Amino acid sequence: VKVSAAEGFSGINRYELKETGAGTEVHMVADYDFDNWAAKLLAPLIMSQAREKFAGDLARLKEKAEAAQ
């Protein structure tokens, strides 16, 4: 999935699914480019917030998938 923001970064999120004996694991691999000095300065904060959002999104997806079974 390609992502970009007017604040100065763009990148690609890749989602990998792996079947296990207990279900399916989801892993996200992110590769971002920070285009300006402000975005580069804030990169650790941006990445931290992105990880938190992904974790929350994944928890909601898991909840809906389990409820549908």
Side-chain angles (χ1 to χ4, degrees):
V1 178
K2 291 183 180 181
V3 295
S4 64
E7 294 81 14
F9 68 93
S10 61
I12 296 175
N13 290 341
R14 188 174 72 244
Y15 299 92
E16 299 174 350
L17 304 176
K18 180 180 178 183
E19 292 294 326
T20 68
T24 303
E25 292 181 0
V26 179
H27 298 274
M28 182 183 82
V29 178
D31 183 23
Y32 291 101
D33 293 314
F34 295 91
D35 304 325
N36 61 51
W37 69 269
K40 289 178 184 177
L41 180 66
L42 295 173
L45 177 62
I46 293 167
M47 295 306 295
S48 174
Q49 290 176 341
R51 279 190 294 276
E52 287 178 17
K53 181 170 184 340
F54 174 71
D57 290 348
L58 189 58
R60 285 186 291 283
L61 178 61
K62 180 180 180 187
E63 187 176 288
K64 288 183 179 191
E66 289 174 348
Q69 291 181 358

